Amino acid sequence: MEEKKVVKVEDIKKEAEEKRCPVQRALFYVEEFLKGPMCGRCYPCAFGSYEAKVRLLNITEGKAREDDVGALRRIADEMLISSFCKKGKDTARFLLEWLDSGVFQEHINGICPDAECVEYIRYWIIPGKCTNCGKCKRVCRYHAIMGQTRKHQFSTGYLPYEIRDRRCTCCGDCVDVCPTGAIVVIQRKTGEAVKGEEEAVAR
């Protein structure tokens, strides 16, 4: 019989820290904590972790309400005081650490500063920099890019490339293959470029 691997909360936190956005870190951590280390013996930790997951999903999916951040802090405070074991208390400390970053409130205001929550960002092709080479369209697995590939370098009259927002998953494959840096990530709310050409702003 294969021995079940023991997952430590410290290992989950270490993996969560690989993500840029503190909200994504917290969500990843809580989801992994619920899958493994959480024993479910005390209500503050068990119920608190599940409620924290729901609140964090609201934030990452762009459905955050003003009270979500306050609720997460309340959950973490109660877990820190009332959890029976070190795992629950450590989870509370990790949540409070990420909450203190201030990034959660920015999500409530519609901004993901680290451009990792896909509901807060979109990809945009800068018309003046796009050469209609077609590399982005060929690499897109979701058929989110439309336009015509330029057959000859100096040909004109081809439809410019555009990204269909509803199909785009913000995977980043198109950014990686674009030879001219014509694809940038922008904040949905402000139109401010967050990756690539800093001066590029959606019109």
Side-chain angles (χ1 to χ4, degrees), residues 15-63:
E15 193 171 352
E17 291 288 357
E18 295 177 6
K19 298 183 178 296
R20 300 187 306 274
C21 176
V23 180
Q24 290 289 344
R25 291 175 192 167
L27 177 60
F28 175 86
Y29 177 89
V30 169
E31 287 181 329
E32 294 302 310
F33 180 67
L34 286 168
K35 290 177 186 176
M38 191 197 73
C39 63
R41 293 175 185 171
C42 60
Y43 291 144
C45 181
F47 291 156
S49 297
Y50 277 108
E51 185 183 351
K53 178 183 175 180
V54 172
R55 299 281 184 171
L56 288 165
L57 282 171
N58 284 344
I59 297 174
T60 58
E61 293 173 359
K63 304 172 185 175

Side-chain angles (χ1 to χ4, degrees), residues 136-147 161-169 171 173-174:
C136 60
K137 185 177 182 180
R138 288 193 293 272
V139 80
C140 182
R141 294 166 286 171
Y142 307 98
H143 307 289
I145 300 176
M146 56 190 300
Y161 277 91
E162 293 181 356
I163 297 175
R164 289 184 280 189
D165 203 29
R166 290 186 178 181
R167 287 196 174 189
C168 179
T169 63
C171 66
D173 289 348
C174 57

Side-chain angles (χ1 to χ4, degrees), residues 61-122:
E61 293 173 359
K63 304 172 185 175
R65 301 192 307 265
E66 192 67 38
D67 64 341
D68 282 325
V69 176
L72 285 167
R73 191 170 291 279
R74 169 185 55 77
I75 291 166
D77 287 339
E78 290 178 358
M79 287 175 65
L80 187 60
I81 295 170
S82 306
S83 293
F84 293 163
C85 69
K86 184 176 182 295
K87 292 182 292 186
K89 293 182 184 297
D90 282 346
T91 295
R93 291 189 187 96
F94 299 155
L95 285 174
L96 288 170
E97 175 187 330
W98 291 319
L99 282 163
D100 287 340
S101 68
V103 173
F104 284 71
Q105 188 59 48
E106 292 195 58
H107 282 70
I108 300 297
N109 297 331
I111 302 293
C112 176
D114 298 289
E116 201 168 26
C117 297
V118 297
E119 294 299 327
Y120 295 84
I121 60 173
R122 67 184 182 92

